[in-house]
Every structure is written in C-alpha cells, then in structure tokens.
Amino acid sequence: MANQLDSFFAAMADPTRRAVIERLTDGPAPVSDLHAPHDIALPTFLKHLKKLEAAGLVRSEKAGRVRTVHIEAAPLKAAEDWLHRQRRAWEGRLDRLDALVRRMEQETRE
Amino acid sequence: MANQLDSFFAAMADPTRRAVIERLTDGPAPVSDLHAPHDIALPTFLKHLKKLEAAGLVRSEKAGRVRTVHIEAAPLKAAEDWLHRQRRAWEGRLDRLDALVRRMEQETRE
DNA sequence: GCATTACCTAGCCACATGGCTAACCAACTC
DNA sequence: GAGTTGGTTAGCCATGTGGCTAGGTAATGC
C-alpha cells in the first residue's frame, strides 16, 4: 500500500504539523519562524517538517543558511476530494433509502 | 490538545480503516462482513474498528451475537471543512499576490 | 444439549513516533 | 577572524501502533 493518502492523513494527525500548514497558508516562511511559536526543541520540530515534506505537503529551498518552506496545495485538494466522495456516497444512500421508505408508505396507503 | 481532528486524521491514516469507511458508505454491516475482505486476524481488525469508533467515525450496536456498524458522517464533514478552509486561505493569498503583481506592473508602465 | 458461529480479552512482539541532548557545520556579522 | 545565528546529524528514550496467538463467552443452529 503506502498510499498517497496514508502519508497525507498521518502527516495531518499531529497538531504541530497542522499548525505549520495553517501558518503556511499565509505565505512561505523560514524554518526558525515556523519553529518559534512551538515550545519544542528545534531538532524535534525539524522531524515534523521532514514528515510534511515527505508527504508532499510542503516544499523547501535553502538559500545561504536559511531554509524557506512553502505549502503545496495539491495534496490538500486530493484529500478533500476523497472525503467529499465518501460523504456524497453516504448521503446518496440516505436519499435512496428515503425514497424507498416514501414509496413503501405510498403502497401501504393504496 | 488531543483535538477532534487528531484522532480523526490518525484514524484515516490507515488503509484498512479507510477501506472500512468506504465500505460503510453503502450501508451498515456486521463486523464479520467488514472483516471478510481483509487478510488480517479478527482481533487485529477489531482494534481498527475500535479506533474508528473512538474517533467518532462509526457507531455500533450489538444484537444477539452480531454487532452492526454504521458510519457517522459529521466528522467527515468537519475535516473536509478544515481542509477546505486551508485551501481557500492559500488560494486567497495567491489571488492577492497576483493582484499586487498586476498593480506593480501597471505602475512601472506609467 | 452439543457444536458452531461471532465476537471479545489478554498478552506478546517488532517497529514507528515524538520527544530530548550533544555536538557539528556553514554562513553572516562585527 | 571570533562569535553568533540557523540549521543539521546522531543517538537515546518512552510510548503508541499494528500485527499475531491462545483462549474465552454468549447466541444460535441442528
């Protein structure tokens, strides 16, 4: 397996990493800026970044001694679509069930 | 923390559990039916179900010796919304950036 | 009422994860 | 060129996760 969605959802399961994503929606930022609000050691934080990058949620380039990180929107869209499909399928089923119930009520009334 | 989203995304990070969710979109099913297509031991599978239930993605009731499992759509919606907000924020930023670039080009031409 | 079915509990194992410290390197700054 | 800054690597630790087997219990079927 090791699906695209596997690493995506795993990446999003951590609050630190979700906070980074939220932060990056208003623009690229260097590692130290991203790290600042989080009360954990830098190496620990770097592991989180690495996981985000591995999941393709984020890209980064190093210039001089600063590494700048940007968000990558495509995987967000992919996951959103997957969730949407499930929800649609589920709601579609409820609609069909509803119609069925209505039809049966109709028939018993005749 | 231990956010709602934490357990949700963690639950969705496993292909077996996603498959269960997909399956449940076409209606409730007993544990053994859900288990059948997966080539893992029942107790292992039960752990997956428990995690889905703990994340509020699924409910189940036992009647006689069979436990029937149904999907719970609300958390799907919540996560979908969260992802959507992030994507919107990101795209909004790109739009503003685009407008800014256009304005600057305009000004240099004058 | 004995056997089968459907699920559950307990307990084990290997590996992944999220945290840390220590030590390092390369690039700026003064 | 010495010191500071920004990031990186290595290695350790506790806990969590996903897998298993063995054994149990309560309904149902024959």
Side-chain angles (χ1 to χ4, degrees):
Chain A
M1 293 290 130
N3 200 298
Q4 185 81 8
L5 288 174
D6 276 39
S7 55
F8 172 83
F9 281 121
M12 301 309 282
D14 184 283
T16 299
R17 291 191 297 257
R18 281 200 308 279
V20 169
I21 292 298
E22 289 184 355
R23 164 64 216 272
L24 287 177
T25 57
D26 36 87
V31 169
S32 42
D33 280 22
L34 292 174
H35 172 234
H38 301 283
D39 196 21
I40 62 179
L42 217 217
T44 307
F45 184 74
L46 285 184
K47 279 198 194 174
H48 287 300
L49 280 188
K50 224 172 228 176
K51 201 157 282 190
L52 286 172
E53 195 146 14
L57 274 160
V58 128
R59 267 175 314 117
S60 73
E61 290 114 32
K62 194 160 183 176
R65 60 184 169 172
V66 292
R67 175 176 295 280
T68 303
V69 185
H70 350 221
I71 202 173
E72 195 64 66
L76 288 189
K77 178 89 171 75
E80 197 183 324
D81 287 351
W82 187 87
L83 289 174
H84 193 66
R85 276 201 305 285
Q86 303 317 128
R87 220 159 46 76
R88 286 296 303 139
W90 169 243
E91 283 163 4
R93 188 195 151 257
L94 287 190
D95 289 350
R96 288 193 300 281
L97 211 69
D98 199 48
L100 181 66
V101 168
R102 244 184 270 279
R103 211 168 338 113
M104 284 169 67
E105 284 174 351
Q106 190 72 23
E107 278 162 17
T108 53
R109 231 177 288 120
E110 280 163 9
Chain B
M1 291 288 128
N3 199 297
Q4 186 81 8
L5 289 174
D6 277 38
S7 56
F8 172 83
F9 282 121
M12 301 310 281
D14 184 283
T16 300
R17 292 191 296 257
R18 281 201 308 280
V20 169
I21 292 298
E22 289 184 354
R23 165 62 217 274
L24 286 177
T25 57
D26 30 92
V31 169
S32 42
D33 280 22
L34 292 174
H35 172 233
H38 301 283
D39 196 20
I40 62 179
L42 216 216
T44 307
F45 185 74
L46 286 184
K47 278 198 196 174
H48 286 301
L49 280 187
K50 224 173 228 175
K51 200 156 282 190
L52 286 172
E53 195 147 15
L57 273 160
V58 127
R59 269 176 311 118
S60 73
E61 290 113 32
K62 194 159 183 177
R65 61 183 168 173
V66 285
R67 175 176 296 278
T68 303
V69 185
H70 351 220
I71 203 174
E72 195 64 65
L76 288 189
K77 179 88 171 75
E80 197 183 325
D81 287 351
W82 187 88
L83 290 174
H84 193 65
R85 276 201 306 283
Q86 303 317 127
R87 219 159 47 77
R88 286 295 303 138
W90 170 243
E91 282 163 6
R93 188 196 152 256
L94 286 190
D95 289 350
R96 287 193 300 281
L97 211 69
D98 199 48
L100 181 66
V101 168
R102 244 184 270 278
R103 210 165 342 111
M104 285 170 65
E105 284 175 351
Q106 191 71 23
E107 279 161 19
T108 52
R109 231 176 288 121
E110 280 162 11

